[in-house]
Amino acid sequence: MNIGIDLGTTNSALAYIPELHGELPDYPEIQVLQVPQYVAPGQIEPRRTLPSFLFLGDQTYVGAYAREQGALVPTKSVHSAKSWLSNPEVDRTAKILPWDAQEGGRVLSPVDVSTAILSNLRDAWNQAHPNAPLGSQDVVLTVPASFDEEARELTVQAAHAAGIEKLTLVEEPAAAFYSWIANHLAQSQKSLFDGQLVLVCDVGGGTSDFTLIRVHRDGDRIEFTRTAVGKHLLLGGDNLDLTLAWLVESKLGTQLSIRQRTALRRQCAAAKERMLADPKLKSVEITVLGAGSSLVGGTLKTEITREEAL
Ligand SMILES: Nc1ncnc2c1ncn2[C@@H]1O[C@H](COP(=O)(O)OP(=O)(O)OP(=O)(O)O)[C@@H](O)[C@H]1O
Ligand SMILES: [Mg+2]
């Protein structure tokens, strides 16, 4: 089994290539692991991604529910641990998270959080594949190209703490490029040439990375090296969602509660993803439930147009 883990700033995922008769197939079919996680109190559901959020409630939650709940109680919420892991201004092994908690409430280091997310993926994997535990598999783990040596080392440390031993780090832009080649085999054979420079733009939830890759080609054999990396930019899809939410709130002409804003942001993210994935979709309806009792606040409705999302 070959396994790849994307430990993202906002979403994490595990994909794998199942072996055929104990060997890797020539034309591998990549599968994505369904990760069981709390999506609401007392409700566990499988999802293709595990939101990289922890919520320190009556127990420690990881995933979708942690993300929703954390937006309401920031002092118990840990998000963007990966950005802390790569921040040379802080002691990355010190217990500095949740960042919004009072001094005594900061109980986790960025490494602890990465370990918790990886442990969750490990448990999901082990549950689905009891005969091939993650600890004995070859695992590829991605890191941003802009990660410094210490951030890489700490990522490895977190993986080891989660029981992942056979580990190879791959830079995310390289992984994105491999993925593009795998999904556009014919086109890549045609259009990639020796000496070509390719710009890979990786827009994440909280960060964006720009990387130049040089292609080396000898017949059908394609290799590449990373030649330049931009700075780790703390700007990503989340900022687009916030901007859209702000726009919608001003269109509604009323000030929303924290709870309504949280719901609105999720809807803006979904609306953005739908419209940018489907060029034919002209607009998406947005509904915000009224605050307080139904007598006071009615349901608010508006839409986001394609133009606004673009
Ligand atoms: N079709 C789409 N068009 C544009 N943006 C999209 C689309 N689908 C998803 N997104 C956005 O892309 C961003 C992707 O975040 P993703 O989960 O890949 O980041 P991440 O891997 O956690 O972050 P990082 O790579 O920085 O660690 C989100 O803001 C999401 O809303
Ligand atoms: Mg990513």
Side-chain angles (χ1 to χ4, degrees), residues 8-11 82 172 202-205 207 237-238 272-273 276-277:
T9 316
T10 40
N11 288 293
K82 190 171 157 188
E172 282 162 20
D202 178 4
V203 180
T207 58
D238 292 348
K272 172 197 74 179
E273 290 171 14
L276 296 183

Side-chain angles (χ1 to χ4, degrees), residues 6-12 49-52 82-83 142 144 172 202-209 232-233 235-241 266 268-270 272-278:
D6 180 353
L7 181 60
T9 316
T10 40
N11 288 293
S12 298
T49 54
L50 178 72
S52 309
K82 190 171 157 188
S83 299
T142 56
E172 282 162 20
D202 178 4
V203 180
T207 58
S208 298
D209 283 294
H232 201 61
L233 298 174
L235 187 69
D238 292 348
N239 303 91
L240 304 186
D241 304 340
R266 296 294 316 140
C268 289
K272 172 197 74 179
E273 290 171 14
R274 282 180 59 200
M275 273 191 281
L276 296 183
D278 176 3

Side-chain angles (χ1 to χ4, degrees), residues 173-197:
F177 196 46
Y178 280 126
S179 167
W180 181 79
I181 291 176
N183 288 311
H184 302 83
L185 220 43
Q187 192 188 341
S188 66
Q189 295 284 358
K190 252 199 292 191
S191 57
L192 294 181
F193 56 86
D194 192 44
Q196 185 178 19
L197 276 178

Side-chain angles (χ1 to χ4, degrees), residues 230-258:
K231 276 201 187 125
H232 201 61
L233 298 174
L234 288 177
L235 187 69
D238 292 348
N239 303 91
L240 304 186
D241 304 340
L242 277 171
T243 306
L244 278 176
W246 172 82
L247 178 79
V248 169
E249 191 168 338
S250 61
K251 275 167 72 165
L252 290 171
T254 172
Q255 203 178 350
L256 301 177
S257 67
I258 291 188

